[in-house]
């Protein structure tokens, strides 16, 4: 990101802090695997829960590496981004390209490739009923749709990228598929026993985090008119942060909950975001957002905004 030239040296990425941040996911992974292998009953389930938090963190970390701002060194960001992307089932390069477009077009709901599908609900009563049921029951339908449509769907990706970048996306997606196939062929039973349940649980955590960030916010629609990207600082009003205990935010979410600060300064690494003060109230808390959002129908939360429902968070 070009913004990196403008930020204070005290807020720039540092390799030592970045690697230090990885202690938490390493501990979650090791303890989760040991408990899942060695024990049954409650300890097995604790292991699965720890692994589910690990998978949530891999998603957050591929986001950070995609900005090339988590580590100071570009090559390390790329290398670790592929590792975290692989663990998250998100091809790193397609994530990076589509997510950069998200930051470019935040503030125009139909121009942002990650929100264009939320402009209007389906005309199908059946589909809308499925969305509402999934939302109420905590089935991560939105996150799965978000991930598959934005980072695996080559037909969609082709609309947004140059031929050269699109070819690179195709190549890397193909490499990911081959690697997944090899691992599942040789280690199928181990993967299913130790990781599959934890990964499924992590989908719920990922959906809840993703849905806080831009959902049910009044965001302009360009209606195919010629518009310019909105500046980073102006994007803040089209994003939402949520707040939890500082220890949880720092060590488990890597400040990923501070989404307003992230959009205002996307080149600042996650472990420095808490130093950014936007003179906004520290709300909502996560559980306040969860209570209010889950009271709504899924189609209302996803496809409507506060302008339609009057629901503010």
């Amino acid at each position: 990101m070009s913004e990196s030239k403008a930020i204070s040296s005290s807020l720039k990425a540092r390799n030592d802090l970045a690697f230090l941040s990885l202690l938490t996911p390493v501990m979650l992974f090791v303890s989760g695997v040991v408990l899942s292998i060695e024990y049954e009953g409650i300890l097995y389930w604790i292991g699965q829960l720890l692994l589910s938090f690990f998978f949530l963190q891999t998603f957050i970390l591929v986001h950070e590496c995609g900005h090339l701002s988590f580590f100071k060194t570009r090559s390390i960001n790329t290398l670790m981004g592929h590792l975290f992307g692989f663990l998250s089932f998100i091809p790193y390069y397609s994530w990076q390209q589509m997510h950069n477009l998200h930051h470019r077009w935040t503030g125009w709901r139909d121009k942002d490739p990650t929100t264009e599908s939320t402009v209007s609900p389906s005309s199908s009563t059946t589909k809308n009923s499925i969305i509402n049921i999934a939302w109420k029951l905590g089935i991560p339908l939105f996150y799965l749709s978000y991930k598959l449509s934005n980072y695996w769907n080559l037909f969609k990706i082709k609309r947004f990228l140059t031929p050269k970048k699109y070819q690179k996306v195709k190549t890397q997606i193909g490499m990911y598929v081959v690697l997944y196939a090899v691992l599942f062929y040789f280690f199928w039973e181990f993967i299913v026993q130790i990781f599959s349940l934890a990964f499924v649980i992590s989908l719920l955590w990922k959906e809840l985090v993703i849905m806080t960030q831009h959902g049910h916010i009044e965001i302009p629609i360009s209606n195919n008119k010629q518009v310019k990207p909105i500046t980073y600082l102006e994007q803040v009003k089209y994003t939402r942060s949520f707040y939890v205990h500082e220890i949880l935010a720092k060590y488990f979410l890597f400040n990923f909950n501070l989404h307003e600060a992230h959009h205002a300064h996307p080149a600042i690494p996650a472990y420095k975001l808490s130093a950014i003060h936007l003179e906004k109230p520290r709300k909502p808390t996560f559980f306040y957002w969860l209570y209010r959002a889950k009271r709504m129908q899924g189609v209302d939360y996803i496809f409507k905004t506060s302008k339609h429902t009057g629901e503010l968070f």
Side-chain angles (χ1 to χ4, degrees), residues 3-15:
E3 188 206 7
S4 60
K5 298 178 180 178
I7 62 177
S8 166
S9 59
S10 65
L11 295 176
K12 290 184 178 181
R14 288 174 48 183
N15 285 342

Side-chain angles (χ1 to χ4, degrees), residues 87-122:
L87 293 170
S88 298
F89 277 77
I90 297 177
Y92 172 70
Y93 188 70
S94 65
W95 163 271
Q96 185 183 55
Q97 296 304 310
M98 297 298 279
H99 189 70
N100 283 346
L101 288 170
H102 161 66
H103 275 273
R104 176 176 174 80
W105 290 111
T106 293
W108 295 109
R109 195 170 175 186
D110 53 338
K111 296 282 286 183
D112 179 347
T114 68
T115 60
E116 64 171 8
S117 63
T118 68
V119 171
S120 58
S122 170

Side-chain angles (χ1 to χ4, degrees), residues 97-290:
Q97 296 304 310
M98 297 298 279
H99 189 70
N100 283 346
L101 288 170
H102 161 66
H103 275 273
R104 176 176 174 80
W105 290 111
T106 293
W108 295 109
R109 195 170 175 186
D110 53 338
K111 296 282 286 183
D112 179 347
T114 68
T115 60
E116 64 171 8
S117 63
T118 68
V119 171
S120 58
S122 170
S123 59
S124 169
T125 303
T126 301
K127 287 183 179 180
N128 290 333
S129 296
I130 291 173
I131 291 172
N132 288 333
I133 293 171
W135 181 242
K136 290 297 183 183
L137 296 180
I139 300 170
L141 188 63
F142 177 83
Y143 174 75
L144 288 171
S145 174
Y146 160 83
K147 179 164 74 170
L148 294 174
S149 66
N150 290 310
Y151 310 113
W152 286 94
N153 185 346
L154 290 172
F155 296 104
K156 177 176 181 176
I157 293 171
K158 188 176 183 179
R159 290 196 287 118
F160 291 95
L161 301 187
T162 64
K164 183 177 180 179
K165 289 181 177 180
Y166 175 67
Q167 185 60 46
K168 188 173 180 179
V169 164
K170 285 202 304 181
T171 300
Q172 293 195 357
I173 285 180
M175 293 171 63
Y176 275 52
V177 170
V178 170
L179 287 173
Y180 287 136
V182 170
L183 284 176
F184 274 86
Y185 181 79
F186 287 104
F187 305 104
W188 170 255
E189 291 186 4
F190 181 78
I191 292 172
V192 170
Q193 178 187 355
I194 305 303
F195 298 114
S196 59
L197 178 59
F199 188 81
V200 170
I201 297 172
S202 78
L203 299 179
L204 173 59
W205 309 145
K206 293 170 186 177
E207 168 152 310
L208 291 176
V209 170
I210 284 291
M211 293 296 275
T212 66
Q213 295 178 339
H214 300 280
H216 213 72
I217 296 174
E218 182 60 28
I219 301 176
I221 298 173
S222 71
N223 287 318
N224 296 318
K225 295 179 181 177
Q226 288 281 74
V227 294
K228 294 182 179 180
I230 295 170
T231 64
Y232 289 150
L233 286 175
E234 286 295 316
Q235 290 180 14
V236 169
K237 60 186 175 185
Y238 303 121
T239 66
R240 181 187 297 114
S241 296
F242 68 85
Y243 294 91
V244 292
H245 193 281
E246 290 183 4
I247 292 177
L248 184 63
K250 181 178 181 180
Y251 295 104
F252 288 88
L253 294 176
F254 302 124
N255 292 324
F256 195 57
N257 57 307
L258 303 179
H259 206 58
E260 293 164 328
H262 172 62
H263 266 266
H265 304 282
I268 292 178
Y271 43 84
K272 298 281 190 177
L273 275 183
S274 59
I276 302 299
H277 302 287
L278 297 175
E279 298 184 355
K280 291 177 64 69
R282 291 174 59 83
K283 63 180 186 179
T285 64
F286 174 74
F287 289 106
Y288 179 82
W289 168 84
L290 182 64

